[in-house]
Amino acid sequence: MNLKNILTTILLASCCAAASAQTPATSSTMTAHQRAHQQQLANVKSSKMDRTVIGDMLKDDIAKRESEIVSAISPESQKLVADLLAEANKHIGKPYRHGMKGPNAFDCSGFTSYVYKQFGYSISPASRIQYTDGKKVDRKHLRKGDLVFFTSRSSGKNVGHVGIVVSADNETGKFKFIHASLKGVKISDCEGYYANRYVGARRIITE
């Protein structure tokens, strides 16, 4: 074998040895990357799980607080509120007339005072005075039957409109209310125009 062939053989052997030496290192690197990737996935899943658990805990806490608010009134009063709202709903569609107290037409405070009067509660036929009746209620603690107050186009920053809560989501602060609007007695969401004019709430049935 001449020198050229000997050198060629040595060179080929060296290349094979180098390739063999590199293969385990590359494999090891790939395995490390895979482990790191799997750990990242596990962390993400764990993070999602944590958020889910926390979210569920918050919902449970909100539900508990809402339940405590509802249970704060007696079963008799809960029935009374249900009957009061049933009475209010009987008048949906009746026209708005300024100064009218029912039963064929209403203005806003005339409507609320009329409905409550049917159940033995005497409240003022004026919305600004109604805002001093009963007990003040935070928007996050509303329940059915509460009076909710708003400004109107003519009242400036003072109370100028009133309605009765028919449902409330105390997690978001959103609620629906029945009232004698300019278009007649109807149920509205507290959003847009009304959300911007919301003043506060009072509770007449407190026991």
Side-chain angles (χ1 to χ4, degrees):
M1 183 179 293
N2 57 36
L3 180 60
K4 181 178 180 180
N5 289 338
I6 292 172
L7 291 174
T8 300
T9 301
I10 293 172
L11 181 60
L12 287 173
S14 298
C15 289
C16 290
S20 298
Q22 289 175 0
T23 299
T26 301
S27 177
S28 176
T29 301
M30 290 288 289
T31 302
H33 287 169
Q34 290 173 347
R35 285 199 300 269
H37 182 60
Q38 289 174 350
Q39 184 61 47
Q40 288 176 337
L41 288 176
N43 290 339
V44 170
K45 291 179 180 178
S46 176
S47 177
K48 289 181 178 178
M49 185 179 296
D50 289 344
R51 288 198 295 272
T52 301
V53 171
I54 292 171
D56 289 343
M57 290 175 65
L58 289 174
K59 289 179 181 178
D60 290 343
D61 182 59
I62 290 168
K64 181 180 178 182
R65 284 189 283 111
E66 290 180 352
S67 177
E68 289 172 350
I69 291 169
V70 172
S71 63
I73 80 171
S74 67
E76 292 78 13
S77 290
Q78 291 183 42
K79 177 64 165 57
L80 176 60
V81 170
D83 290 343
L84 184 144
L85 291 178
E87 171 65 28
N89 275 274
K90 290 179 183 178
H91 302 284
I92 288 178
K94 289 187 177 179
Y96 176 92
R97 296 286 186 274
H98 180 69
M100 295 297 289
K101 312 304 175 188
N104 297 317
F106 302 91
D107 64 11
C108 65
S109 53
F111 174 68
T112 52
S113 62
Y114 175 87
V115 171
Y116 268 93
K117 185 177 180 180
Q118 307 315 300
F119 298 89
Y121 290 88
S122 180
I123 60 176
S124 171
S127 59
R128 292 187 189 182
I129 299 177
Q130 285 183 17
Y131 191 52
T132 66
D133 290 333
K135 177 183 177 183
K136 183 177 180 181
V137 183
D138 185 87
R139 183 167 176 171
K140 292 285 188 176
H141 294 155
L142 290 177
R143 69 183 180 211
K144 296 177 181 180
D146 289 341
L147 295 178
V148 281
F149 298 85
F150 310 84
T151 62
S152 67
R153 290 186 174 90
S154 61
S155 68
K157 295 182 179 181
N158 297 314
V159 169
H161 190 63
V162 61
I164 304 172
V165 174
V166 298
S167 66
D169 182 344
N170 287 330
E171 181 178 354
T172 62
K174 294 182 179 180
F175 62 88
K176 294 179 182 290
F177 63 104
I178 186 168
H179 60 131
S181 73
L182 293 178
K183 295 181 179 180
V185 177
K186 60 184 288 191
I187 294 175
S188 299
D189 290 291
C190 183
E191 59 184 20
Y193 173 87
Y194 292 111
N196 293 331
R197 292 181 177 275
Y198 180 78
V199 175
R202 307 291 293 190
R203 180 164 297 157
I204 304 300
I205 302 174
T206 58
E207 66 276 8

